[in-house]
Amino acid sequence: MASVEWALKRGKDAEQEVQRELIRLAPRFGFHHLTRLLIAFPWGTSQLDHVLVDRYGVLVLETKLRRNAVVLGRDVENRWTAHYPATKKNYSLENPLRQNAEHENALRQALRDKGLRLKPDFVNSAVVFVGAKSLKLEMHEINAMKVVRLEQLEKLLARRNDFVINKGDLSRSDVSRLLVALCELDCSGRPQVARRHEQYLRERFQEVS
């Protein structure tokens, strides 16, 4: 069984791969980018791997590392499957779309608490699989647009207005206020909150291992 430390390290490595690609793409698409945003609530914590802020609002990216796997699943299922052709083994994973829905709700609540009440479509999310061989997913068209391999991230950003209903009409001052609020919400520099979140991750890892 993989150790918690090993799993956490692999997760961070995947996040760094996505971060490098976002740094490359930011000048073209004009977004601001925050990484590993940790938000604390009275009932727990929520960590957002990557948060993009631009005139379309906020886009939360969840990173999943499944090197050389074929990912199978449906948007209505609680669990998906990572199939590894080389070893013919299958591993279960939580439906990341549902995980991202939790992140979206947490972020909306945190922004509301700071007096920023965005319309629902100004907070969206997507999933980026790092290293996956292919994605064989049965999903509604909109959800299908929101799950990509790292190699498809540029395409996702290029067609973002296909799944974002708003017209991208946030002003520069709106974007600036969002960025300030998100930076103020970030608790990653607070050791007590970071330890609390790591303990949550360890407990979650034990549940699914």
Side-chain angles (χ1 to χ4, degrees):
M1 180 184 298
S3 69
V4 179
E5 287 73 17
W6 178 83
L8 292 176
K9 181 182 183 304
R10 279 170 53 86
K12 289 179 181 178
D13 289 345
E15 290 168 13
Q16 289 174 356
E17 289 190 46
V18 174
Q19 183 177 6
R20 286 193 291 269
E21 184 68 356
L22 289 173
I23 290 171
R24 183 182 74 84
L25 295 172
R28 174 185 170 188
F29 293 103
F31 57 78
H32 302 272
H33 169 221
L34 302 174
T35 301
R36 296 180 65 79
L37 189 71
L38 181 60
I39 303 176
F41 299 93
W43 60 86
T45 58
S46 181
Q47 186 171 65
L48 314 181
D49 294 342
H50 303 278
V51 180
L52 279 56
V53 184
D54 60 11
R55 62 193 181 95
Y56 292 105
V58 179
L59 178 65
V60 179
L61 295 181
E62 174 71 16
T63 300
K64 294 295 182 186
L65 178 66
R66 294 296 184 274
R67 194 81 67 189
N68 299 316
V70 177
V71 181
L72 306 101
R74 301 170 61 200
D75 48 10
V76 296
E77 295 175 329
N78 292 327
R79 310 289 301 180
W80 288 3
T81 300
H83 171 69
Y84 292 84
T87 61
K88 302 188 185 305
K89 291 185 177 180
N90 293 332
Y91 295 91
S92 176
L93 67 147
E94 182 181 358
N95 181 336
L97 288 173
R98 298 194 174 189
Q99 187 177 1
N100 253 1
E102 296 175 7
H103 289 164
E104 283 188 45
N105 291 334
L107 184 57
R108 285 194 182 93
Q109 181 61 55
L111 290 172
R112 279 197 298 268
D113 290 344
K114 294 191 71 65
L116 292 175
R117 294 183 175 274
L118 293 175
K119 294 179 180 179
D121 195 59
F122 281 94
V123 179
N124 282 276
S125 61
V127 181
V128 181
F129 278 94
V130 175
K133 187 174 181 179
S134 65
L135 306 177
K136 295 185 178 180
L137 305 170
E138 299 178 31
M139 298 186 294
H140 182 276
E141 182 180 359
I142 296 298
N143 285 335
M145 292 181 183
K146 297 183 179 183
V147 185
V148 298
R149 294 183 296 120
L150 178 57
E151 296 81 1
Q152 301 168 315
L153 179 55
E154 184 172 359
K155 183 177 180 181
L156 178 143
L157 294 173
R159 69 183 184 190
R160 186 177 172 195
N161 60 345
D162 291 340
F163 64 83
V164 174
I165 300 173
N166 72 68
K167 298 178 181 179
D169 53 2
L170 289 186
S171 67
R172 289 186 178 181
S173 59
D174 291 331
V175 172
S176 295
R177 282 195 294 271
L178 267 175
L179 284 168
V180 169
L182 290 169
C183 289
E184 290 176 348
L185 286 169
D186 185 19
C187 296
S188 57
R190 294 168 55 184
Q192 185 176 1
V193 177
R195 286 194 297 269
R196 189 167 127 206
H197 183 69
E198 185 169 329
Q199 180 58 35
Y200 160 76
L201 291 178
R202 289 175 182 277
E203 291 172 358
R204 190 163 185 167
F205 179 85
Q206 295 298 335
E207 288 176 1
V208 301
S209 297

